[in-house]
mmCIF file of all heavy atoms in Angstrom:
data_model
loop_
_atom_site.group_PDB
_atom_site.id
_atom_site.type_symbol
_atom_site.label_atom_id
_atom_site.label_comp_id
_atom_site.label_asym_id
_atom_site.label_seq_id
_atom_site.Cartn_x
_atom_site.Cartn_y
_atom_site.Cartn_z
ATOM 1 N N LEU A 471 50.587 -8.237 -16.937
ATOM 2 C CA LEU A 471 49.858 -7.698 -15.786
ATOM 3 C C LEU A 471 49.572 -8.728 -14.707
ATOM 4 O O LEU A 471 49.139 -8.387 -13.585
ATOM 5 C CB LEU A 471 48.527 -7.114 -16.252
ATOM 6 C CG LEU A 471 48.533 -5.777 -17.017
ATOM 7 C CD1 LEU A 471 47.149 -5.391 -17.410
ATOM 8 C CD2 LEU A 471 49.199 -4.707 -16.172
ATOM 9 N N LEU A 472 49.843 -9.998 -15.011
ATOM 10 C CA LEU A 472 49.372 -11.089 -14.128
ATOM 11 C C LEU A 472 49.830 -10.899 -12.690
ATOM 12 O O LEU A 472 49.012 -11.087 -11.757
ATOM 13 C CB LEU A 472 49.931 -12.419 -14.700
ATOM 14 C CG LEU A 472 49.214 -13.656 -14.141
ATOM 15 C CD1 LEU A 472 47.711 -13.531 -14.338
ATOM 16 C CD2 LEU A 472 49.699 -14.893 -14.861
ATOM 17 N N PRO A 473 51.113 -10.510 -12.439
ATOM 18 C CA PRO A 473 51.510 -10.360 -11.044
ATOM 19 C C PRO A 473 50.629 -9.346 -10.285
ATOM 20 O O PRO A 473 50.284 -9.551 -9.127
ATOM 21 C CB PRO A 473 52.933 -9.815 -11.120
ATOM 22 C CG PRO A 473 53.378 -10.220 -12.469
ATOM 23 C CD PRO A 473 52.200 -10.231 -13.354
ATOM 24 N N ILE A 474 50.277 -8.244 -10.995
ATOM 25 C CA ILE A 474 49.427 -7.226 -10.338
ATOM 26 C C ILE A 474 48.015 -7.794 -10.103
ATOM 27 O O ILE A 474 47.443 -7.658 -9.000
ATOM 28 C CB ILE A 474 49.331 -5.972 -11.220
ATOM 29 C CG1 ILE A 474 50.736 -5.413 -11.480
ATOM 30 C CG2 ILE A 474 48.446 -4.923 -10.559
ATOM 31 C CD1 ILE A 474 50.760 -4.325 -12.515
ATOM 32 N N LEU A 475 47.469 -8.444 -11.157
ATOM 33 C CA LEU A 475 46.138 -9.018 -11.011
ATOM 34 C C LEU A 475 46.102 -9.986 -9.862
ATOM 35 O O LEU A 475 45.114 -10.097 -9.124
ATOM 36 C CB LEU A 475 45.744 -9.752 -12.305
ATOM 37 C CG LEU A 475 45.375 -8.827 -13.510
ATOM 38 C CD1 LEU A 475 45.131 -9.697 -14.763
ATOM 39 C CD2 LEU A 475 44.164 -7.998 -13.223
ATOM 40 N N ARG A 476 47.171 -10.757 -9.705
ATOM 41 C CA ARG A 476 47.174 -11.830 -8.710
ATOM 42 C C ARG A 476 47.147 -11.253 -7.284
ATOM 43 O O ARG A 476 46.678 -11.869 -6.383
ATOM 44 C CB ARG A 476 48.423 -12.695 -8.908
ATOM 45 C CG ARG A 476 48.225 -14.094 -8.450
ATOM 46 C CD ARG A 476 49.465 -14.928 -8.754
ATOM 47 N NE ARG A 476 49.393 -15.649 -10.002
ATOM 48 C CZ ARG A 476 50.438 -15.965 -10.731
ATOM 49 N NH1 ARG A 476 51.646 -15.629 -10.401
ATOM 50 N NH2 ARG A 476 50.280 -16.672 -11.848
ATOM 51 N N ARG A 477 47.748 -10.068 -7.169
ATOM 52 C CA ARG A 477 47.777 -9.445 -5.832
ATOM 53 C C ARG A 477 46.395 -9.016 -5.392
ATOM 54 O O ARG A 477 45.963 -9.255 -4.295
ATOM 55 C CB ARG A 477 48.738 -8.273 -5.780
ATOM 56 C CG ARG A 477 50.133 -8.673 -5.245
ATOM 57 C CD ARG A 477 50.893 -7.507 -4.781
ATOM 58 N NE ARG A 477 51.071 -6.484 -5.786
ATOM 59 C CZ ARG A 477 52.006 -6.508 -6.735
ATOM 60 N NH1 ARG A 477 52.815 -7.536 -6.830
ATOM 61 N NH2 ARG A 477 52.108 -5.542 -7.633
ATOM 62 N N SER A 478 45.695 -8.291 -6.325
ATOM 63 C CA SER A 478 44.385 -7.867 -5.888
ATOM 64 C C SER A 478 43.484 -7.557 -7.095
ATOM 65 O O SER A 478 43.951 -7.136 -8.128
ATOM 66 C CB SER A 478 44.489 -6.590 -5.017
ATOM 67 O OG SER A 478 44.572 -5.463 -5.844
ATOM 68 N N MET A 479 42.206 -7.851 -6.924
ATOM 69 C CA MET A 479 41.210 -7.397 -7.885
ATOM 70 C C MET A 479 40.156 -6.736 -7.045
ATOM 71 O O MET A 479 39.212 -7.406 -6.560
ATOM 72 C CB MET A 479 40.637 -8.608 -8.631
ATOM 73 C CG MET A 479 41.586 -9.236 -9.544
ATOM 74 S SD MET A 479 40.808 -10.623 -10.387
ATOM 75 C CE MET A 479 42.153 -11.731 -10.485
ATOM 76 N N PRO A 480 40.324 -5.477 -6.800
ATOM 77 C CA PRO A 480 39.496 -4.811 -5.784
ATOM 78 C C PRO A 480 38.050 -4.592 -6.203
ATOM 79 O O PRO A 480 37.198 -4.387 -5.360
ATOM 80 C CB PRO A 480 40.223 -3.502 -5.555
ATOM 81 C CG PRO A 480 40.868 -3.202 -6.894
ATOM 82 C CD PRO A 480 41.191 -4.540 -7.505
ATOM 83 N N GLY A 481 37.778 -4.598 -7.509
ATOM 84 C CA GLY A 481 36.471 -4.116 -7.925
ATOM 85 C C GLY A 481 36.471 -2.614 -7.813
ATOM 86 O O GLY A 481 37.402 -2.025 -7.281
ATOM 87 N N MET A 482 35.471 -2.004 -8.329
ATOM 88 C CA MET A 482 35.401 -0.521 -8.233
ATOM 89 C C MET A 482 33.986 -0.132 -7.857
ATOM 90 O O MET A 482 33.061 -0.832 -8.195
ATOM 91 C CB MET A 482 35.724 0.076 -9.647
ATOM 92 C CG MET A 482 37.135 0.548 -9.741
ATOM 93 S SD MET A 482 37.347 1.912 -10.847
ATOM 94 C CE MET A 482 36.683 1.385 -12.379
ATOM 95 N N PRO A 483 33.835 0.973 -7.148
ATOM 96 C CA PRO A 483 32.465 1.405 -6.832
ATOM 97 C C PRO A 483 31.758 1.697 -8.144
ATOM 98 O O PRO A 483 32.302 2.367 -9.009
ATOM 99 C CB PRO A 483 32.666 2.688 -6.001
ATOM 100 C CG PRO A 483 34.079 3.105 -6.224
ATOM 101 C CD PRO A 483 34.856 1.874 -6.561
ATOM 102 N N ASP A 484 30.548 1.188 -8.257
ATOM 103 C CA ASP A 484 29.786 1.357 -9.513
ATOM 104 C C ASP A 484 28.614 2.305 -9.225
ATOM 105 O O ASP A 484 28.322 2.643 -8.096
ATOM 106 C CB ASP A 484 29.317 0.015 -9.977
ATOM 107 C CG ASP A 484 29.045 0.016 -11.468
ATOM 108 O OD1 ASP A 484 28.836 1.100 -11.994
ATOM 109 O OD2 ASP A 484 29.047 -1.090 -12.058
ATOM 110 N N THR A 485 27.925 2.672 -10.311
ATOM 111 C CA THR A 485 26.844 3.622 -10.168
ATOM 112 C C THR A 485 25.679 3.073 -9.346
ATOM 113 O O THR A 485 24.758 3.790 -8.991
ATOM 114 C CB THR A 485 26.302 4.041 -11.539
ATOM 115 O OG1 THR A 485 26.121 2.875 -12.309
ATOM 116 C CG2 THR A 485 27.207 5.022 -12.218
ATOM 117 N N ASP A 486 25.726 1.739 -9.029
ATOM 118 C CA ASP A 486 24.585 1.231 -8.308
ATOM 119 C C ASP A 486 24.559 1.759 -6.872
ATOM 120 O O ASP A 486 23.527 1.585 -6.204
ATOM 121 C CB ASP A 486 24.521 -0.282 -8.316
ATOM 122 C CG ASP A 486 25.818 -0.943 -7.770
ATOM 123 O OD1 ASP A 486 26.754 -0.182 -7.568
ATOM 124 O OD2 ASP A 486 25.798 -2.152 -7.522
ATOM 125 N N TRP A 487 25.619 2.459 -6.427
ATOM 126 C CA TRP A 487 25.513 3.021 -5.076
ATOM 127 C C TRP A 487 24.454 4.078 -5.034
ATOM 128 O O TRP A 487 23.863 4.339 -3.988
ATOM 129 C CB TRP A 487 26.893 3.583 -4.584
ATOM 130 C CG TRP A 487 27.314 4.860 -5.278
ATOM 131 C CD1 TRP A 487 28.083 4.971 -6.379
ATOM 132 C CD2 TRP A 487 26.962 6.203 -4.909
ATOM 133 N NE1 TRP A 487 28.236 6.289 -6.733
ATOM 134 C CE2 TRP A 487 27.549 7.076 -5.827
ATOM 135 C CE3 TRP A 487 26.207 6.757 -3.845
ATOM 136 C CZ2 TRP A 487 27.430 8.447 -5.766
ATOM 137 C CZ3 TRP A 487 26.080 8.136 -3.791
ATOM 138 C CH2 TRP A 487 26.672 8.969 -4.746
ATOM 139 N N VAL A 488 24.113 4.643 -6.200
ATOM 140 C CA VAL A 488 23.033 5.664 -6.233
ATOM 141 C C VAL A 488 21.747 5.063 -5.726
ATOM 142 O O VAL A 488 21.068 5.641 -4.887
ATOM 143 C CB VAL A 488 22.856 6.240 -7.652
ATOM 144 C CG1 VAL A 488 21.628 7.146 -7.687
ATOM 145 C CG2 VAL A 488 24.110 6.976 -8.079
ATOM 146 N N TRP A 489 21.405 3.836 -6.257
ATOM 147 C CA TRP A 489 20.144 3.259 -5.776
ATOM 148 C C TRP A 489 20.330 2.277 -4.631
ATOM 149 O O TRP A 489 19.366 1.877 -4.001
ATOM 150 C CB TRP A 489 19.330 2.689 -6.926
ATOM 151 C CG TRP A 489 19.941 1.563 -7.712
ATOM 152 C CD1 TRP A 489 19.911 0.257 -7.433
ATOM 153 C CD2 TRP A 489 20.642 1.730 -8.957
ATOM 154 N NE1 TRP A 489 20.579 -0.434 -8.412
ATOM 155 C CE2 TRP A 489 21.001 0.423 -9.348
ATOM 156 C CE3 TRP A 489 21.010 2.783 -9.752
ATOM 157 C CZ2 TRP A 489 21.744 0.158 -10.512
ATOM 158 C CZ3 TRP A 489 21.699 2.532 -10.929
ATOM 159 C CH2 TRP A 489 22.067 1.252 -11.273
ATOM 160 N N ARG A 490 21.564 1.925 -4.343
ATOM 161 C CA ARG A 490 21.741 1.063 -3.180
ATOM 162 C C ARG A 490 21.876 1.863 -1.907
ATOM 163 O O ARG A 490 21.442 1.425 -0.859
ATOM 164 C CB ARG A 490 22.994 0.173 -3.347
ATOM 165 C CG ARG A 490 22.821 -0.874 -4.396
ATOM 166 C CD ARG A 490 24.072 -1.724 -4.500
ATOM 167 N NE ARG A 490 24.196 -2.632 -3.385
ATOM 168 C CZ ARG A 490 24.829 -3.759 -3.443
ATOM 169 N NH1 ARG A 490 25.404 -4.143 -4.582
ATOM 170 N NH2 ARG A 490 24.891 -4.566 -2.407
ATOM 171 N N ARG A 491 22.509 3.046 -2.014
ATOM 172 C CA ARG A 491 22.744 3.849 -0.830
ATOM 173 C C ARG A 491 21.943 5.156 -0.848
ATOM 174 O O ARG A 491 21.184 5.457 0.035
ATOM 175 C CB ARG A 491 24.214 4.173 -0.698
ATOM 176 C CG ARG A 491 25.115 2.944 -0.688
ATOM 177 C CD ARG A 491 25.440 2.498 0.733
ATOM 178 N NE ARG A 491 26.253 1.279 0.710
ATOM 179 C CZ ARG A 491 25.778 0.053 0.627
ATOM 180 N NH1 ARG A 491 24.467 -0.146 0.561
ATOM 181 N NH2 ARG A 491 26.575 -0.991 0.622
ATOM 182 N N LEU A 492 22.147 5.945 -1.893
ATOM 183 C CA LEU A 492 21.643 7.319 -1.912
ATOM 184 C C LEU A 492 20.124 7.347 -1.915
ATOM 185 O O LEU A 492 19.494 7.991 -1.057
ATOM 186 C CB LEU A 492 22.206 8.031 -3.160
ATOM 187 C CG LEU A 492 21.959 9.543 -3.195
ATOM 188 C CD1 LEU A 492 22.676 10.227 -2.092
ATOM 189 C CD2 LEU A 492 22.390 10.095 -4.522
ATOM 190 N N LEU A 493 19.495 6.609 -2.869
ATOM 191 C CA LEU A 493 18.063 6.649 -2.975
ATOM 192 C C LEU A 493 17.315 6.135 -1.722
ATOM 193 O O LEU A 493 16.422 6.762 -1.230
ATOM 194 C CB LEU A 493 17.589 5.889 -4.218
ATOM 195 C CG LEU A 493 17.754 6.681 -5.531
ATOM 196 C CD1 LEU A 493 17.150 5.866 -6.685
ATOM 197 C CD2 LEU A 493 17.079 8.037 -5.433
ATOM 198 N N PRO A 494 17.760 4.989 -1.192
ATOM 199 C CA PRO A 494 17.088 4.512 0.014
ATOM 200 C C PRO A 494 17.186 5.531 1.142
ATOM 201 O O PRO A 494 16.229 5.768 1.882
ATOM 202 C CB PRO A 494 17.789 3.223 0.359
ATOM 203 C CG PRO A 494 18.362 2.735 -0.925
ATOM 204 C CD PRO A 494 18.721 3.978 -1.691
ATOM 205 N N ALA A 495 18.397 6.141 1.255
ATOM 206 C CA ALA A 495 18.567 7.150 2.293
ATOM 207 C C ALA A 495 17.651 8.322 2.066
ATOM 208 O O ALA A 495 16.987 8.811 3.024
ATOM 209 C CB ALA A 495 20.025 7.646 2.332
ATOM 210 N N ALA A 496 17.525 8.757 0.811
ATOM 211 C CA ALA A 496 16.641 9.872 0.492
ATOM 212 C C ALA A 496 15.195 9.502 0.797
ATOM 213 O O ALA A 496 14.445 10.313 1.367
ATOM 214 C CB ALA A 496 16.825 10.270 -0.955
ATOM 215 N N ALA A 497 14.815 8.265 0.372
ATOM 216 C CA ALA A 497 13.421 7.861 0.619
ATOM 217 C C ALA A 497 13.130 7.796 2.103
ATOM 218 O O ALA A 497 12.070 8.212 2.568
ATOM 219 C CB ALA A 497 13.170 6.483 -0.057
ATOM 220 N N GLU A 498 14.113 7.283 2.845
ATOM 221 C CA GLU A 498 13.973 7.184 4.284
ATOM 222 C C GLU A 498 13.738 8.589 4.899
ATOM 223 O O GLU A 498 12.817 8.777 5.697
ATOM 224 C CB GLU A 498 15.253 6.561 4.864
ATOM 225 C CG GLU A 498 15.261 6.425 6.378
ATOM 226 C CD GLU A 498 14.241 5.402 6.856
ATOM 227 O OE1 GLU A 498 14.021 4.442 6.131
ATOM 228 O OE2 GLU A 498 13.693 5.644 7.925
ATOM 229 N N ALA A 499 14.570 9.554 4.435
ATOM 230 C CA ALA A 499 14.440 10.917 4.968
ATOM 231 C C ALA A 499 13.092 11.501 4.572
ATOM 232 O O ALA A 499 12.383 12.069 5.431
ATOM 233 C CB ALA A 499 15.574 11.803 4.409
ATOM 234 N N ALA A 500 12.684 11.316 3.324
ATOM 235 C CA ALA A 500 11.401 11.837 2.860
ATOM 236 C C ALA A 500 10.274 11.201 3.667
ATOM 237 O O ALA A 500 9.323 11.867 4.071
ATOM 238 C CB ALA A 500 11.197 11.606 1.372
ATOM 239 N N GLY A 501 10.386 9.907 3.881
ATOM 240 C CA GLY A 501 9.379 9.197 4.627
ATOM 241 C C GLY A 501 9.231 9.753 6.026
ATOM 242 O O GLY A 501 8.141 9.974 6.526
ATOM 243 N N ARG A 502 10.409 10.046 6.657
ATOM 244 C CA ARG A 502 10.365 10.563 8.006
ATOM 245 C C ARG A 502 9.620 11.886 8.041
ATOM 246 O O ARG A 502 8.765 12.137 8.891
ATOM 247 C CB ARG A 502 11.772 10.696 8.570
ATOM 248 C CG ARG A 502 11.961 10.064 9.918
ATOM 249 C CD ARG A 502 13.405 10.128 10.359
ATOM 250 N NE ARG A 502 14.258 9.299 9.516
ATOM 251 C CZ ARG A 502 15.480 9.677 9.130
ATOM 252 N NH1 ARG A 502 16.012 10.822 9.441
ATOM 253 N NH2 ARG A 502 16.193 8.873 8.352
#
Side-chain angles (χ1 to χ4, degrees):
Chain A
L471 286 178
L472 198 53
I474 302 170
L475 287 175
R476 207 177 265 152
R477 264 199 303 279
S478 83
M479 292 181 215
M482 261 211 304
D484 204 338
T485 46
D486 58 349
W487 72 268
V488 174
W489 60 86
R490 290 181 74 152
R491 304 265 179 275
L492 191 64
L493 281 184
E498 179 65 36
R502 232 175 293 140

